[in-house]
């Protein structure tokens, strides 16, 4: 588009290409609070709560990786997006990691698959599944959660921060 003759026709200079850092341009509300906490002078080493947070994150990554593999989601951004969505939804659903209590993690994975995979997940088939992680999955709850995820992500489904995945 920048090589379009329209610029020359109207005597306009071609604008320079700039890369926007989405995480910097659109920070989440809770990230600003974390920056304030991290700037405290006594935060020189990792605390017990940060180790617990790392452990929870690793378990969530493992669950997302397993479900993506089971569902044959191959795009590498699917798991990254699902993790980003789940981190936002954890603010609302503290049982997110317990699949027997909450389907929110599954909903994050399904929405990520809808956004990144070439073969879209069939929601009707998922709703009728009686085995595996999706055995208690409900399409009506997914619809509500999808809207919530969109709002929690500020209507931008691109992950702002990419987490390191343990092998």
């Amino acid at each position: 588009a920048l090589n379009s003759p329209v610029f020359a026709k109207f005597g306009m200079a071609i604008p320079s290409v700039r890369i926007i850092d989405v995480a910097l341009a659109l920070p989440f509300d809770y990230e600003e609070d974390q920056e304030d906490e991290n700037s405290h002078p006594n935060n020189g080493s990792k605390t017990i709560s940060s180790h617990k947070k790392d452990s929870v994150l690793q378990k969530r990554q493992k669950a997302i990786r397993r479900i993506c593999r089971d569902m044959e989601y191959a795009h590498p951004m699917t798991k990254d997006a699902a993790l980003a969505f789940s981190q936002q939804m954890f603010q609302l659903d503290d049982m997110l990691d317990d699949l027997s209590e909450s389907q929110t993690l599954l909903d994050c994975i399904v929405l990520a698959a809808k956004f990144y995979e070439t073969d879209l997940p069939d929601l009707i088939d998922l709703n009728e599944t009686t085995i595996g992680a999706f055995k208690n999955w409900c399409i009506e709850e997914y619809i509500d959660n999808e809207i919530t995820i969109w709002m929690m992500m500020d209507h931008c489904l691109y992950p702002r921060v990419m987490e390191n995945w343990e092998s």
Side-chain angles (χ1 to χ4, degrees):
L2 293 177
N3 294 328
S4 174
V6 108
F7 287 104
K9 180 179 179 180
F10 293 104
M12 299 170 63
I14 297 176
S16 63
V17 177
R18 294 180 288 169
I19 297 175
I20 297 173
D21 183 355
V22 179
L24 183 62
L26 299 170
F28 292 116
D29 293 337
Y30 78 91
E31 288 175 342
E32 294 169 357
D33 296 337
Q34 286 178 340
E35 287 175 10
D36 293 340
E37 291 173 5
N38 291 339
S39 64
H40 193 272
N42 293 333
N43 286 347
S45 62
K46 280 193 166 187
T47 62
I48 294 171
S49 64
S50 68
H51 287 296
K52 183 178 178 184
K53 182 178 176 183
D54 290 344
S55 173
V56 170
L57 181 64
Q58 289 172 352
K59 287 179 184 177
R60 188 176 302 156
Q61 286 175 330
K62 185 177 178 181
I64 289 171
R65 187 183 299 117
R66 179 182 47 80
I67 294 168
C68 285
R69 185 181 57 243
D70 292 348
M71 298 301 294
E72 298 178 357
Y73 297 150
H75 196 286
M77 288 297 294
T78 302
K79 63 182 178 56
D80 290 316
L83 182 63
F85 302 164
S86 69
Q87 289 174 309
Q88 291 302 307
M89 291 299 287
F90 188 68
Q91 297 176 59
L92 301 177
D93 184 1
D94 57 350
M95 298 301 291
L96 177 128
D97 296 308
D98 185 0
L99 296 180
S100 65
E101 294 288 325
S102 171
Q103 77 174 43
T104 304
L105 183 63
L106 297 173
D107 296 341
C108 293
I109 295 169
V110 170
L111 181 58
K114 285 175 64 176
F115 196 65
Y116 287 104
E117 296 295 323
T118 54
D119 295 327
L120 296 176
D122 186 345
L123 301 181
I124 303 300
D125 284 349
L126 289 176
N127 195 44
E128 295 172 354
T129 299
T130 58
I131 58 171
F134 287 88
K135 65 183 171 194
N136 296 323
W137 190 79
C138 172
I139 194 168
E140 290 83 13
E141 189 174 335
Y142 168 77
I143 293 168
D144 292 338
N145 281 339
E146 179 179 314
I147 294 166
T148 305
I149 294 168
W150 273 97
M151 289 188 296
M152 293 295 291
M153 293 296 294
D154 295 327
H155 302 278
C156 176
L157 295 185
Y158 294 106
R160 291 173 172 90
V161 177
M162 304 296 278
E163 295 288 339
N164 291 327
W165 289 76
E166 301 286 328
S167 295

